[in-house]
Amino acid sequence: MPEGHTIHREARLQSRQFAGEPLNVWSPQGRFDSGASLLDGNEIEAIEAWGKHLFYEWDHGHCLHVHLGLFGRFRRHKSDPPPPTDGTRLAMEGDSGTLYLSGPTACEIIDPEEREEILAGLGPDPLRPSSYSEPVEHIEEMLGRRTVPIAAAILDQAVIAGIGNVYRAEILFRTGVNPLIESKRVDRDSIERMWKEATTQLEAGERTGRIVTTDPEDVGRSNRKEIEKGERTYVYKRQGQPCRRCGTEIERTEVADRKVWWCPECQPR
Ligand SMILES: [Zn+2]
């Protein structure tokens, strides 16, 4: 599933490519025919990302809401795009290229109230730190009411918006927090460090388009650029392998129906 960094990166790259010019908009699959006809021929003014949600603000006042969900995918083409597949929900084409969207959970025209409702259900987004006045206080308050394991709570978009399965395992490792600890038992200091890690890690992911959470020295490299494919995470998908910091075997279990990995030594209970 795409995590927040991918969504913010798409917002930035799509804005650069498609905003400010009239676009042909249609639905090759047909399921978004009526929405597409409302947008066809108009211009995107801005594309905003919040957590895993995208809001396309059009110059004639319409707002297009997109959520990729588990299977959604964008394909951007600069020139000579292949024909859209039958499953393409939305296609947009301008002078600077073509965009295809397939398999989203949401692709809909929404009004300002619906937009407010979606935003009201989202916690602070580490990639929009200044848009939420007290992110750490919010997270602390939300965790204080929850008895589920912390690994379940930080996937909850109302607690923090934008964290998915890779980042949750990696952020908990880097913060030294055991994934199975009851949410309300996580202390303020750990929450502050978790928020800081989330910000740093997602910013790096947004910039580069890939998730690399390891520090170069922990994988025997002298800088980030040298980090190779199998060295990009501390715990994610590394069950049974030695921890990169202490050598203890990485463990795996399921929390909130998704697998989570951790080091029993670096993240004690
Ligand atoms: Zn360890």
Side-chain angles (χ1 to χ4, degrees):
M1 181 193 252
E3 305 198 22
H5 69 298
T6 303
I7 303 306
H8 279 264
R9 187 174 166 86
E10 282 296 331
R12 177 164 60 82
L13 298 177
Q14 290 179 23
S15 291
R16 194 191 290 165
Q17 193 174 356
F18 298 103
E21 60 164 346
L23 299 171
N24 298 324
V25 183
W26 74 105
S27 178
Q29 181 194 43
R31 278 181 63 186
F32 188 58
D33 276 342
S34 58
S37 67
L38 284 175
L39 305 175
D40 189 33
N42 292 283
E43 296 180 12
I44 294 171
E45 254 173 19
I47 308 175
E48 231 188 304
W50 196 303
K52 298 176 185 172
H53 297 261
L54 283 163
F55 302 97
Y56 296 72
E57 309 293 349
W58 293 71
D59 63 342
H60 58 323
H62 281 302
C63 176
L64 167 68
H65 169 231
V66 170
H67 190 291
L68 293 180
L70 274 176
F71 307 108
R73 199 178 154 187
F74 287 113
R75 288 176 183 81
R76 274 180 279 111
H77 302 280
K78 285 233 162 85
S79 54
D80 301 323
T85 59
D86 293 345
T88 305
R89 182 83 53 91
L90 167 72
M92 298 199 289
E93 173 196 61
D95 286 341
S96 49
T98 305
L99 178 78
Y100 294 141
L101 167 65
S102 58
T105 295
C107 174
E108 56 186 358
I109 307 290
I110 56 170
D111 61 33
E113 288 76 41
E114 290 169 312
R115 189 178 188 277
E116 280 314 303
E117 260 174 51
I118 294 168
L119 292 180
L122 297 176
D125 178 340
L127 291 173
R128 307 180 59 115
S130 57
S131 64
Y132 218 98
S133 59
E134 305 287 354
V136 173
E137 274 73 10
H138 169 88
I139 297 166
E140 189 177 30
E141 200 205 311
M142 297 292 264
L143 294 183
R145 291 193 243 131
R146 283 166 165 76
T147 53
V148 296
I150 181 64
I154 66 166
L155 275 190
D156 180 345
Q157 301 298 299
V159 177
I160 306 184
I163 306 288
N165 212 34
V166 187
Y167 277 126
R168 86 157 164 178
E170 294 299 305
I171 288 167
L172 289 173
F173 175 86
R174 291 190 57 103
T175 317
V177 170
N178 186 287
L180 302 175
I181 285 180
E182 227 184 357
S183 299
K184 62 181 189 187
R185 288 183 46 226
V186 179
D187 61 25
R188 168 79 183 208
D189 179 54
S190 301
I191 295 170
E192 275 173 15
R193 281 185 292 124
M194 232 154 55
W195 173 251
K196 200 163 159 273
E197 282 294 344
T199 306
T200 314
Q201 297 303 324
L202 267 79
E203 274 173 3
E206 197 276 341
R207 255 194 333 270
T208 58
R210 61 169 59 136
I211 298 179
V212 180
T213 60
T214 44
D215 294 331
E217 60 271 26
D218 286 333
V219 290
R221 306 287 171 191
S222 53
N223 64 62
R224 276 179 69 88
K225 280 190 190 134
E226 288 176 6
I227 296 175
E228 294 197 357
K229 199 156 181 255
E231 302 170 340
R232 290 175 186 165
T233 58
Y234 281 104
V235 292
Y236 179 72
K237 289 196 171 168
R238 292 197 67 243
Q239 69 276 9
Q241 296 181 54
C243 173
R244 300 190 191 283
R245 286 194 177 150
C246 74
T248 305
E249 245 180 52
I250 300 301
E251 291 195 16
R252 181 185 74 180
T253 187
E254 274 197 22
V255 176
D257 293 329
R258 312 277 306 272
K259 293 189 177 78
V260 67
W261 294 260
W262 79 98
C263 169
E265 184 68 27
C266 297
Q267 298 163 268
R269 253 187 114 165

